[in-house]
Amino acid sequence: MLAIRQRERRPLAVKSGFLQQFLAFGSLIVLIVVFSLASENFFQFSNIVGILLSTAVVGVLALGATYVIITGGIDLSVGTVMTLTAVMTGVSIAYWGWPIWAGLLVGIATGACCGFVSGFAVSRMKIPPFIATLAVMMIAKGLSLVISGTKPVYFTSAPAFSDISLGSVTGKLIPGFDIPNAVLVFFGAAIVGSILLTRTIIGRYNFAIGSNEEATRLSGVNVNAWKMLIYTITGVFTGIAGILMASRLNSAQPALGMGYELEAIAAVVIGGTSLSGGKGTIVGTVIGALIMSVLTNGLRILSVPQEWQTVVVGFVIFLAVYADILRRKKTA
């Protein structure tokens, strides 16, 4: 009887998730049309490129956060861990004199280690995700200040480092079509993230844990090990975001990062991933990140004060969470 009910609910859940994703995409199109009509400066190539560039860092953070949220958890540390990865990348290149490729590995490894620590605390130590990642957030923030000496780390000795974000491979191939490399990295990471989530055992167990952790454990799956891996994957995405941020600024700012975790989580929720776990897509997260950037950019072009921009974004998040609650009630 239970199996029959689960089979009956699954089509409803899939239909509801597709509807949420469709509505998010529709909202993105509506925003683009409205802002284009409101200002002739919005739908210009340079502004669209600026929107995509501003989406890249938060978007990559959101990709990683999607994995954790699908498990029914949360990661509040991604913002400050991103800062720590940027600082470690900067120190290894600017202070230790390591080549750029080695510095990139250090940054990604730093993010992965922080993710593993969060996963270990959640799975093995049984600390609630909110508290565990809050602790990692504070640790990462403190380490960023200690390692950098509370001063920005500049990449003056490695001028090619800024090309990771601000260079343009497409501009060299197609003159005039200058899409920053950071945007390509973002979409490349989204493709990889989507494949992992939909085509591999990682994604299968990710959804299983979020849908019913106890049932997954009773079926013989080592839930603790998979949780640690999922948080580590989130850390890898965070490391990539830290590198993109440092490259874009051509420096590692140790006091930067607080607040990015909220933007990343907001993008995930707006994209249709359920905070209760078990549902979510990478495509939805990409749409959610773009909605955040388009909304902020459009309001700025219309000269809406910063404080009111924050109010509008908060209201959008409120609606997204409420839509998730309604969707869960329909599929219950």
Side-chain angles (χ1 to χ4, degrees):
M1 181 65 70
L2 179 59
I4 293 175
R5 289 180 179 176
Q6 289 177 338
R7 286 196 296 269
E8 290 174 348
R9 291 173 182 174
R10 193 174 294 116
L12 292 175
V14 172
K15 182 178 179 181
S16 178
F18 175 79
L19 178 60
Q20 178 69 14
Q21 189 172 305
F22 178 78
L23 290 175
F25 182 72
S27 300
L28 176 61
I29 298 301
V30 168
L31 285 175
I32 293 175
V33 171
V34 169
F35 287 131
S36 297
L37 294 175
S39 173
E40 61 181 12
N41 296 323
F42 180 82
F43 203 73
Q44 295 184 359
F45 182 77
S46 59
N47 189 57
I48 297 301
V49 169
I51 291 174
L52 293 175
L53 183 59
S54 65
T55 306
V57 172
V58 174
V60 173
L61 279 181
L63 295 177
T66 303
Y67 283 82
V68 170
I69 293 177
I70 287 176
T71 66
I74 198 76
D75 193 343
L76 299 178
S77 68
V78 292
T80 54
V81 169
M82 178 187 71
T83 302
L84 179 59
T85 62
V87 168
M88 289 302 299
T89 301
V91 167
S92 61
I93 294 175
Y95 293 171
W96 299 345
W98 290 8
I100 291 178
W101 65 267
L104 300 183
L105 291 179
V106 169
I108 294 174
T110 299
C113 288
C114 291
F116 177 81
V117 170
S118 294
F120 183 86
V122 171
S123 62
R124 294 291 184 180
M125 301 174 69
K126 305 304 179 184
I127 300 176
F130 184 91
I131 302 300
T133 57
L134 179 63
V136 173
M137 179 182 75
M138 300 304 296
I139 292 171
K141 179 181 179 181
L143 287 176
S144 298
L145 295 171
V146 170
I147 294 172
S148 65
T150 69
K151 298 178 181 178
V153 181
Y154 295 98
F155 294 89
T156 52
S157 61
F161 183 76
S162 63
D163 290 339
I164 295 174
S165 281
L166 302 179
S168 178
V169 173
T170 60
K172 294 179 180 179
L173 297 176
I174 308 175
F177 192 66
D178 296 316
I179 303 296
N181 291 334
V183 177
L184 303 182
V185 172
F186 169 44
F187 286 113
I191 292 172
V192 173
S194 182
I195 292 173
L196 284 176
L197 196 60
T198 60
R199 303 292 183 181
T200 69
I201 193 172
I202 295 173
R204 194 176 308 128
Y205 285 158
N206 198 347
F207 283 108
I209 292 171
S211 297
N212 194 323
E213 182 175 331
E214 187 59 27
T216 305
R217 180 179 287 107
L218 292 175
S219 66
V221 176
N222 189 339
V223 171
N224 291 337
W226 283 104
K227 270 191 174 183
M228 285 190 287
L229 177 60
I230 289 168
Y231 275 87
T232 301
I233 291 173
T234 297
V236 170
F237 279 103
T238 303
I240 295 172
I243 291 170
L244 292 179
M245 175 62 79
S247 176
R248 180 180 174 183
L249 300 176
N250 204 29
S251 64
Q253 303 288 335
L256 189 66
M258 291 289 290
Y260 276 83
E261 65 281 346
L262 301 181
E263 293 185 32
I265 294 171
V268 175
V269 175
I270 290 173
T273 297
S274 175
L275 287 172
S276 62
K279 300 182 184 69
T281 63
I282 293 296
V283 173
T285 295
V286 171
I287 295 172
L290 289 172
I291 287 176
M292 295 278 290
S293 295
V294 167
L295 184 61
T296 301
N297 180 271
L299 293 175
R300 187 180 297 120
I301 285 181
L302 296 179
S303 300
V304 176
Q306 178 65 42
E307 56 271 22
W308 281 107
Q309 293 180 30
T310 305
V311 171
V312 173
V313 172
F315 186 69
V316 170
I317 296 172
F318 178 85
L319 290 178
V321 174
Y322 183 63
D324 175 50
I325 293 174
L326 294 179
R327 185 172 69 250
R328 277 184 286 160
K329 287 181 178 180
K330 290 181 179 180
T331 57

